[in-house]
Amino acid sequence: MFQGTRERKFQVFPGSALAKVPPNWVFAAQILDVGGKVWAMMCARIEPAWIEQQAAHLLKSSCRDAHWSKKRGCVVAYEQVSLFGLNLVERRAVTFEKQDPALAHEIFLREALARGDIEARADFVRANQRVLEDAQGIEAKQRREGLIRHEDELVDFFRGKLPVDISSSRALDAWYRHARPAEQAALRWSLDDVMVGGAGLDPKAFPAALEIVPVAAIGAPAAGAQRYRLEYRFVPGDEADGVTLHLPLAMLNALPAARCEWLVPGLLADKAAELIRGLPKALRRNFVPAPDFARAFAEAEAPRDEPLAQALAAFLKRATGVDIDAAEFAAVELAPHFLMRYRLHDDSGRTLAAGRDLTALRAEWEGRAREAFSRKTDVELTREDVTAWDFEEIPHEVRSKGNLLAFPALVDLGDAVALRVFERRDEAAAAHLDGVRRLLRNTLASDLKQARRRLPIANPLALKYASLGGVDGLREDLVEGGFDDLIARLDLDARSAGAFEALRTQAARELFACAVERLKLAEPVIEAQAELRPWLQPPLLGFARASYDDLREQLDALLAPGFLRELPPARLAHYPRYLKAMRLRGERLRQDPAKDQQRMLQVLPYWREYLKHRAAGDGNLDELRWLIEEWRVSLFAQELKTAEPVSAKRLAKALETA
């Protein structure tokens, strides 16, 4: 069914070529009303745009919802085009200036200039936007609405100062380039033009930053005044409503919490008044009107590192003689904006945490904050991206300008190394060993590469290893494992350039030999796993499925990716025996699956418990892990003997301590 002009509805005649698949729009040469049905005859497909082109004199258009578009830089409206009541265009965005220049100019003044919602090259636009932002900031600081003039007054400021045909950014820029200096200056706002009655703001009442002398940190004297940037927001209910202090991580422990209770001078009187109003009635009646006492307190007392409640109680007692304890204010519930909000951030400005409870922030970030503070106090010593030992000596301890005792150490950052200072000697010592190891490995990169290339891995061995991975991965694991073996024998507490160079020379000399030793340990393991694999397949489908599943699970756990790199040599030496025991089990399993199942049931409880503890992330599982392997040897291949005494009782004890 089609909707035609003059609200007539019709259908395409069945004999028409368009009847089966009618288009969205049709043109009919004739309309017939036959038997109550209206048919369109001699139809052709058309587009609404064609009608606009060919019948423009018959069309009717109207615009609505005129508004400023910052993206397009002009006033736009939505156009509706119709032909004898039939809508050809429902909602098309068009430039409104052509439709009603006067109204477009008025919208431009209100929505673009008065609201500052415009992008233009004229310099007064950006200047006015800054003034408007300052005015909004004053409202937020004073927590008062209505300080900014009504929008109608802001529009009146511009009315008559621009030609009436200007309603777009382009037209504004074109006129402004040739305007007289006086005409340009007349378009600039001052704070008095924007705010009611020239409502200004005392910079001291709402400072942009708090300047605080930090408390002695970690036993050291104060390190001098620190400036903390403040941010104000007046959005009741918002998380950041009130005053936010931007707190660097390094200064978290140094910030005096009591000073922050005083907020800023402009809010101190209001907060004191709220504290007084929250007192029990028997006390509160001694300090009425509360705003007057609060204002007197704010004028008499300067913010300092003393609990606000204590200072307020002392002032009220002096003023009235009424004995009042600071603890009386503890039960007073304050609105969130009367509590300082802290935004904890790192050196790059990234937010780490935010909240109004400084104690909770310290409980969570105290350790990292102290490390950051140590780095900050000895910035001339700390370094990032250390690629070589290009300094003479790293002292065991240093004393900073703030008399803070700190302990320098190299730190392993993954692929890189940094030189940092710690507040604790034991933490520095542990970190330094890891840092020296990483720096040593980085400086031996070419030696490691050469060792991987020279490692004598025969082709038959590589083929037998194929089920576990490629030969390149094997070389990588053996050389890295050899490097770990070498490191275990070296004294890594190098503090001077000479000591590190001696360490590097020794490591370069012994690295390849250590990798070869790893290869010697790996060869029997690879041989044994290759001999075992044929015995992991049951002779018949479904034969002793549980036992074969257990065998395969045991093998996957033993030969987990990286085992040749990560396991110590002493443990790898037992692997051929474990794998041979599994092969003997596989042979006997085919002969007597029932006996194998009985033995398996003695192992599974401990194995399942081990897997459960491992999944939970428990760390003390090493003894239990290898006792289970020895238990398997004693059950399935007793003739191979165990490396240590093992029993169900010992396994249970190891499980208790896991």
Side-chain angles (χ1 to χ4, degrees):
M1 185 72 70
F2 283 86
Q3 176 74 43
T5 58
R6 297 185 175 87
E7 298 186 0
R8 176 183 291 177
K9 295 184 179 180
F10 62 88
Q11 292 177 281
V12 177
F13 188 71
S16 171
L18 301 180
K20 291 184 178 180
V21 186
N24 292 329
W25 291 80
V26 297
F27 176 81
Q30 186 178 12
I31 299 293
L32 292 179
D33 188 344
V34 180
K37 290 188 177 182
V38 181
W39 301 103
M41 312 292 292
M42 301 179 65
C43 298
R45 182 186 67 83
I46 61 170
E47 295 293 338
W50 301 350
I51 302 176
E52 289 191 78
Q53 294 171 3
Q54 301 299 324
H57 59 292
L58 300 176
L59 301 181
K60 187 183 211 179
S61 66
S62 61
C63 289
R64 63 182 185 274
D65 298 335
H67 63 281
W68 168 254
S69 172
K70 181 179 180 180
K71 183 178 180 180
R72 298 179 64 165
C74 63
V75 179
V76 298
Y78 296 113
E79 182 183 35
Q80 184 183 70
V81 181
S82 62
L83 173 66
F84 301 131
L86 177 64
N87 288 337
L88 303 179
V89 177
E90 187 64 36
R91 186 180 173 87
R92 178 169 60 195
V94 296
T95 302
F96 188 63
E97 179 182 7
K98 299 177 181 178
Q99 317 297 327
D100 191 336
L103 181 56
H105 178 71
E106 184 69 18
I107 293 173
F108 175 75
L109 296 182
R110 180 176 299 275
E111 299 184 14
L113 295 185
R115 297 177 185 175
D117 188 30
I118 178 176
E119 292 180 355
R121 295 181 179 179
D123 55 8
F124 85 92
V125 170
R126 288 184 293 276
N128 287 357
Q129 288 171 345
R130 287 193 293 269
V131 172
L132 186 59
E133 289 171 1
D134 290 343
Q136 292 167 345
I138 291 173
E139 272 195 334
K141 290 175 181 179
Q142 295 192 1
R143 303 190 64 80
R144 291 173 55 193
E145 293 181 340
L147 296 183
I148 297 178
R149 294 183 184 275
H150 192 274
E151 192 174 85
D152 291 343
E153 296 180 74
L154 299 180
V155 172
D156 289 339
F157 176 86
F158 294 106
R159 188 171 286 119
K161 296 179 180 179
L162 290 173
V164 294
D165 60 344
I166 292 180
S167 59
S168 66
S169 300
R170 181 178 297 179
L172 174 66
D173 288 337
W175 172 83
Y176 192 80
R177 281 196 300 268
H178 301 96
R180 298 190 306 274
E183 292 175 322
Q184 294 180 349
L187 297 172
R188 288 178 174 265
W189 277 333
S190 67
L191 204 56
D192 290 339
D193 294 325
V194 175
M195 304 199 72
V196 175
L201 185 70
D202 181 3
K204 295 181 180 179
F206 297 93
L210 278 189
E211 189 169 297
I212 299 176
V213 176
V215 297
I218 322 175
Q226 294 289 331
R227 287 178 58 84
Y228 301 92
R229 185 167 71 88
L230 297 178
E231 181 181 347
Y232 300 86
R233 180 172 294 186
F234 180 31
V235 186
D238 186 83
E239 179 188 353
D241 183 40
V243 189
T244 296
L245 183 144
H246 292 251
L247 179 59
L249 177 63
M251 303 308 297
L252 174 61
N253 297 322
L255 180 70
R259 168 61 186 86
C260 295
E261 294 178 5
W262 296 69
L263 295 176
V264 294
L267 292 177
L268 179 58
D270 291 340
K271 182 173 183 177
E274 285 298 307
L275 287 171
I276 295 172
R277 291 191 189 102
L279 290 171
K281 185 176 180 180
L283 274 176
R284 186 176 66 243
R285 65 186 181 185
N286 296 294
F287 315 117
V288 291
D292 291 347
F293 277 90
R295 191 161 39 251
F297 168 73
E299 292 173 355
E301 304 291 336
R304 56 187 180 271
D305 186 15
E306 178 186 357
L308 176 62
Q310 183 176 316
L312 180 58
F315 172 82
L316 294 176
K317 184 176 181 179
R318 289 196 308 270
T320 63
V322 177
D323 192 11
I324 177 174
D325 191 84
E328 298 288 349
F329 295 108
V332 179
E333 292 188 12
L334 294 171
H337 71 270
F338 284 127
L339 302 174
M340 184 73 81
R341 179 176 178 268
Y342 307 94
R343 173 185 170 265
L344 190 65
H345 62 84
D346 58 18
D347 291 340
S348 62
R350 181 173 60 92
T351 299
L352 302 175
R356 302 182 192 272
D357 190 341
L358 187 60
T359 302
L361 286 175
R362 282 177 172 165
E364 182 178 357
W365 294 91
E366 182 178 14
R368 289 181 59 181
R370 286 183 172 176
E371 292 178 12
F373 181 77
S374 298
R375 292 194 300 272
K376 189 178 183 67
T377 54
D378 289 283
V379 70
E380 71 279 358
L381 177 66
T382 60
R383 281 180 50 187
E384 300 294 324
D385 297 324
V386 176
T387 58
W389 196 294
D390 52 4
F391 28 80
E392 278 301 317
E393 185 176 3
I394 300 176
H396 283 87
E397 63 182 49
V398 294
R399 192 169 291 277
S400 71
K401 296 177 182 178
N403 201 32
L404 172 67
L405 187 63
F407 305 95
L410 291 177
V411 180
D412 181 5
L413 301 181
D415 293 332
V417 179
L419 176 58
R420 294 177 180 170
V421 292
F422 290 76
E423 63 173 347
R424 294 180 47 156
R425 188 186 301 272
D426 55 347
E427 292 177 352
H432 187 67
L433 297 180
D434 292 337
V436 171
R437 181 188 187 282
R438 174 61 61 182
L439 185 59
L440 185 62
R441 193 196 181 287
N442 290 350
T443 57
L444 291 174
S446 61
D447 299 273
L448 290 165
K449 183 177 180 180
Q450 185 178 8
R452 287 192 292 269
R453 187 173 62 250
R454 291 174 54 200
L455 203 59
I457 298 178
N459 288 335
L461 186 68
L463 289 174
K464 292 177 181 178
Y465 184 78
S467 58
L468 298 175
V471 68
D472 290 338
L474 176 59
R475 291 179 183 275
E476 178 81 16
D477 285 350
L478 294 176
V479 172
E480 291 296 332
F483 178 74
D484 291 340
D485 299 340
L486 173 62
I487 289 297
R489 303 200 301 262
L490 298 176
D491 180 10
L492 297 180
D493 191 21
R495 290 280 173 172
S496 66
F500 182 80
E501 180 57 28
L503 196 63
R504 193 201 66 78
T505 301
Q506 181 182 356
R509 184 175 62 247
E510 298 179 9
L511 175 62
F512 183 69
C514 290
V516 171
E517 289 298 320
R518 274 268 162 172
L519 175 59
K520 291 178 181 178
L521 288 171
E523 285 175 344
V525 177
I526 297 172
E527 297 281 355
Q529 65 87 27
E531 294 175 4
L532 166 64
R533 291 195 180 274
W535 296 98
L536 297 179
Q537 301 301 324
L540 298 172
L541 186 64
F543 178 83
R545 175 178 296 175
S547 294
Y548 279 103
D549 287 345
D550 180 55
L551 264 173
R552 284 189 286 267
E553 186 177 24
Q554 180 188 1
L555 183 65
D556 290 342
L558 283 172
L559 307 184
F563 78 100
L564 289 175
R565 173 197 304 221
E566 298 167 2
L567 290 176
R571 182 53 56 191
L572 275 179
H574 294 292
Y575 261 53
R577 180 168 53 87
Y578 296 155
L579 296 168
K580 185 176 181 181
M582 293 178 68
R583 182 172 62 79
L584 291 175
R585 178 190 176 186
E587 294 174 4
R588 293 164 182 167
L589 173 58
R590 296 188 180 186
Q591 301 170 3
D592 194 346
K595 183 178 289 187
D596 184 276
Q597 186 177 32
Q598 291 175 359
R599 294 168 175 169
M600 179 182 66
L601 292 176
Q602 298 180 57
V603 178
L604 283 183
Y606 303 105
W607 179 243
R608 297 304 176 210
E609 284 298 317
Y610 164 75
L611 293 178
K612 185 190 302 183
H613 282 280
R614 188 180 67 176
D618 297 337
N620 189 24
L621 297 175
D622 200 58
E623 181 185 6
L624 177 62
R625 169 71 184 96
W626 301 114
L627 276 178
I628 292 174
E629 290 301 328
E630 297 295 342
W631 183 237
R632 288 181 182 274
V633 173
S634 69
L635 290 174
F636 296 106
Q638 192 172 8
E639 65 269 30
L640 296 182
K641 302 190 182 306
T642 59
E644 57 184 314
V646 62
S647 63
K649 183 177 180 180
R650 190 175 177 192
L651 277 168
K653 185 177 179 180
L655 187 57
E656 289 178 3
T657 59

